[in-house]
Amino acid sequence: MPTTFAMRLLPIVLTLTFVAFSSALTQPISAAEIRGTATMTYADAEPLVSKGAVIKLDNHCTVRCYDWDQDGDLDLIAGDGGGRLWLIKNSGSQTHPVLEEKQPLVAGQKSKWGNSYTGVVLAQLVGNELPDLVVGHSRRLVTIHKNIGSAQHPAFEEQSTTVEIQPSCDGRFDLADWDGDGQQDLITGSFDGIVQWHRNTSTSNKLTFSAGEPFCDIRIAYNSHPRVLDFDGDNKLDLLLGLNWGSVTLYRHASEHSIPGLAAGQQLKWSNGKNLNIREMNGDDTTPELSDWDGDGVLDLISGGKNGQIFWMKGIGYPSRVNTLKNLLAKHNQNLGRTLLDNDDIRQEIFGCLTALQADLRSGLISSTARQELFNSLAPLARQYPQHLSRQHFNLERDPHLPILAAQYWVVLLESLPESKANRQRVADALGFESGYRTLLVDLGVIFIDNNTATPEHLDAMITLMRQMPPATWEVETITVAGWLGPAVKTQKIRSRSGVNIFDLPLGRPENSFAGDSPRPGVTDVYLICLAHELAHNMLDTVGRKKRPDLYERKFTGLAQAAGPHVVYRSPPSKGIDMEATKANFRRIGAWDGQKETWRDAWIGYFAGKQEFDRAYSRGNIQFFLDSPQEAFATLANQYYADSGLMLEFCKNRWDAGNRTNVNQFLLIAEYLSEGKDQGKFFQLKPGGKLSVESVQFKRDPQSRISNLKSGNLTARFSYQDNGLVTSFELATNNKQK
């Protein structure tokens, strides 16, 4: 049996990617399937040249890498801005590419597809096992030409099948088996940033794709260029998205369902740790492709853009970053603090090594075996360079960058090992953490970054409070106190899986967390209530968004209720405010004159100075939370941890005064912290850190919502609408109806 183009690549595909959960013969034959390790970090962009001249296409360039002639090295296929395709063959080798002059890529006599941006993919869709020519063009068309050539000499029929996709797509598309049914689907980008999925619905007799549907709700303006592949080698599909602004974002697979979902995006990085951006070089519109262009085992980034050039960004593997870090520490051991202050290039290089390592660890690009080797390589540095990397109080005037450098090193060391208490103990031992700092790391999984300024009382109070927070409801790796770290932290960020920043305050400073219509003041400790507030940012809106999507939706349902009837939310409410419908309502009631430049003032004026909106949310005017919904749950922690029982009484006072929204806010945080159990906690946090915790009993209705609540001196009963909002609220104190 003759060896075909697809069959020759089959062993490589199976070894490295299993890209789309199906037979390798149906996969696009692309750079993602060539041996190599992905990375989040890349060297500076260089334009690719042919015969000594920079390659330049007409008006635009999309680019893909394939071994076109099966000679063992990568060639380039590119689409320009006027409907033409180009083949740029590599006459060099796998490790030393030499590009020839571009030549037209045709299908029979056809050499032009429309008059705008053009994209190209090789993938087996029709006919035999050879990859076919798939062209995106003419605003919303994809045309497939059958491969009638051979493995070493591809050739394509002029006759074709054309399908219609989302508007303004042009050449912004990729092919991948997104739903795992063994057929290649179309994933399309567009000028306005919408990414869609067109399911392959083909039969044995006809090639068809469904109408576009949302692709994980991704819409980032604009010029979105999708590249779907198994980036991190876990046999699940991820998304690389090139954008108009010169950047590339990675969305990793994050779902166990039959149809994959995607996590929040991470920007690809330069070697100095800054976000990768080639806008100044390509003139907008990044069109990403991955391949091991120089054959060093690390996948590189290839991209075109609006000016028609093609750029190569060498991928930097993690071993080289470790070596660079060690060399820099050794070279500048005697004067590192001064060097980081005076030399921007060295500072960016040394921080870049650490932030790049953190990015690769976060993205799962370093194997479990390699992670252990990484820990073994990095851990001794703490004892080798204690003046730079150990926990201590640095002189911020003399060495402003050292506390940031040490903290970033601690984060990388912690993330190099799998999450477990035993591994946290190993990290604490390697770093020499003691007392409260060690307890925070080992018991709670938190690195506290404060330039060793907090008092033992600070640490004890933090530990006491955090131990009362259900571990499964929050996830924070670092807590920083920027005010104790100095001005350097404003420009040199500490990167971690998740982190919060709190105020640089003494313990014991009082704050009343309740409004004037509260039954009594709820005085608490500012330092600690700030800690509770910031940790709550990593509760419902992050951890809970996945674990309790019902409560996440209920938060927005409650915001819509508090905003009143003229503010219109989309469906579901978590998609935010429908501003067009809201503006129409404001015009109808005379709250806005319809002029674009007056909208913001009209929006603010509608809510300002009105008691119904001042009291619609338990911690301030509802307009703030409509503009900043990320604060809506976190701010509830200020009252719940200050005095949970008082918060419930406060909500009852407002209920009786006609403000029926606050009780839903109380129940939102009580529900989340209870984790669906029949027992929860009430807190009372006093200045100086004195914390009282009381057990609270719940009864639940058939929908598992809290219907009855009983603490030591309060009993409450609730009834609900179908959407989870309260319709009746009774509260008794000392057996007296309130």
Side-chain angles (χ1 to χ4, degrees), residues 110 148 227 307 340 385 609:
K110 187 176 182 63
I148 55 174
R227 180 74 175 87
N307 63 9
L340 296 177
Y385 303 101

Side-chain angles (χ1 to χ4, degrees), residues 620-689:
N621 189 287
I622 185 60
Q623 182 247 317
F624 172 76
F625 300 103
L626 299 179
D627 286 345
S628 305
Q630 73 278 6
E631 295 291 339
F633 183 84
T635 196
L636 301 178
N638 292 62
Q639 291 184 340
Y640 197 84
Y641 283 100
D643 194 327
S644 311
L646 176 57
M647 185 181 185
L648 181 59
E649 294 181 62
F650 174 54
C651 292
K652 179 57 173 168
N653 273 17
R654 287 199 168 175
W655 177 278
D656 291 341
N659 301 107
R660 301 299 178 91
T661 57
N662 295 161
V663 66
N664 295 302
Q665 297 145 27
F666 168 86
L667 285 167
L668 184 68
I669 189 167
E671 283 276 20
Y672 184 69
L673 293 177
S674 74
E675 302 178 277
K677 300 173 183 175
D678 292 335
Q679 183 171 303
K681 296 176 182 178
F682 268 11
F683 302 92
Q684 191 176 63
L685 180 62
K686 294 296 186 181

Side-chain angles (χ1 to χ4, degrees), residues 301-614:
L301 180 65
I302 312 289
S303 178
K306 193 171 183 178
N307 63 9
Q309 295 184 35
I310 305 175
F311 299 93
W312 169 52
M313 288 144 277
K314 178 179 174 63
I316 303 175
Y318 83 89
S320 67
R321 292 190 283 273
V322 174
N323 292 334
T324 300
L325 175 65
K326 288 182 175 181
N327 291 337
L328 288 169
L329 288 172
K331 183 176 181 179
H332 301 285
N333 181 29
Q334 301 303 316
N335 61 345
L336 182 60
R338 174 59 60 179
T339 301
L340 296 177
L341 179 62
D342 295 339
N343 192 313
D344 289 349
D345 291 339
I346 292 177
R347 183 175 70 250
Q348 290 182 12
E349 189 173 13
I350 196 168
F351 274 103
C353 291
L354 289 168
T355 55
L357 286 168
Q358 193 275 331
D360 280 0
L361 286 165
R362 179 185 175 190
S363 300
L365 301 179
I366 301 178
S367 69
S368 57
T369 301
R371 289 172 70 182
Q372 179 62 62
E373 294 171 353
L374 177 62
F375 176 83
N376 293 339
S377 181
L378 291 178
L381 297 179
R383 299 185 186 277
Q384 190 175 353
Y385 303 101
Q387 71 275 34
H388 307 319
L389 300 179
S390 68
R391 179 175 280 284
Q392 60 194 281
H393 184 80
F394 291 98
N395 183 322
L396 295 178
E397 184 175 350
R398 186 188 65 205
D399 302 318
H401 294 94
L402 285 184
I404 317 302
L405 178 69
Q408 189 64 73
Y409 164 72
W410 302 340
V411 170
V412 172
L413 197 65
L414 177 61
E415 293 188 6
S416 67
L417 295 176
E419 170 60 23
S420 72
K421 186 172 183 178
N423 281 334
R424 295 197 298 270
Q425 289 175 331
R426 292 179 65 191
V427 173
D429 291 342
L431 296 175
F433 278 15
E434 297 177 344
S435 65
Y437 295 109
R438 181 181 181 90
T439 301
L440 282 167
L441 174 56
V442 175
D443 292 356
L444 296 168
V446 171
I447 299 175
F448 186 38
I449 303 167
D450 67 331
N451 197 28
N452 269 39
T453 304
T455 66
E457 291 75 21
H458 274 105
L459 297 172
D460 289 345
M462 292 173 66
I463 292 166
T464 299
L465 176 61
M466 292 168 66
R467 277 179 167 161
Q468 293 298 330
M469 298 178 174
T473 64
W474 61 283
E475 194 263 314
V476 171
E477 185 181 52
T478 58
I479 298 175
T480 58
V481 188
W484 290 337
L485 293 173
V489 77
K490 295 180 181 179
T491 55
Q492 185 61 60
K493 304 299 182 183
I494 299 168
R495 303 184 186 277
S496 63
R497 282 193 300 261
S498 59
V500 298
N501 183 68
I502 60 176
F503 294 152
D504 54 329
L505 293 172
L507 201 64
R509 182 172 296 181
E511 173 193 275
N512 179 12
S513 290
F514 290 81
D517 59 326
S518 172
R520 59 187 179 277
V523 179
T524 188
D525 189 290
V526 182
Y527 179 84
L528 291 171
I529 212 64
C530 171
L531 173 64
H533 175 98
E534 295 303 329
L535 291 174
H537 272 296
N538 280 55
M539 289 185 179
L540 181 61
D541 289 349
T542 52
V543 176
R545 190 170 185 174
K546 296 179 181 177
K547 291 188 174 182
R548 292 299 306 271
D550 57 323
L551 292 183
Y552 182 72
E553 281 299 334
R554 199 193 299 182
K555 182 188 89 165
F556 289 94
T557 301
L559 285 172
Q561 179 197 35
H566 300 125
V567 176
V568 181
Y569 269 76
R570 296 187 177 93
S571 181
S574 61
K575 290 188 175 181
I577 297 171
D578 184 336
M579 276 301 177
E580 292 307 311
T582 300
K583 287 177 179 179
N585 279 345
F586 275 45
R587 288 199 69 181
R588 179 176 53 80
I589 64 174
W592 179 47
D593 61 8
Q595 300 301 309
K596 182 179 180 180
E597 58 272 15
T598 64
W599 167 249
R600 185 61 186 169
D601 288 340
W603 172 258
I604 295 171
Y606 175 77
F607 298 102
K610 299 181 180 67
Q611 188 179 89
E612 62 181 298
F613 295 127
D614 287 339

Side-chain angles (χ1 to χ4, degrees), residues 129-199:
E129 297 170 347
L130 297 175
D132 307 305
L133 181 68
V134 187
V135 186
H137 62 96
S138 303
R139 308 297 288 167
R140 62 181 309 167
L141 300 179
V142 168
T143 298
I144 301 98
H145 298 267
K146 181 180 177 181
N147 191 339
I148 55 174
S150 65
Q152 290 77 24
H153 301 284
F156 307 99
E157 281 186 346
E158 184 170 345
Q159 181 181 351
S160 62
T161 300
T162 295
V163 297
E164 192 171 281
I165 50 175
Q166 69 160 310
S168 301
C169 176
D170 286 312
R172 307 172 182 92
F173 81 103
D174 201 2
L175 281 161
D177 183 7
W178 185 243
D179 55 0
D181 67 352
Q183 299 195 98
Q184 295 291 301
D185 307 309
L186 280 165
I187 290 85
T188 62
S190 62
F191 174 79
D192 61 6
I194 297 173
V195 182
Q196 289 191 349
W197 170 38
H198 298 259
R199 188 194 304 263

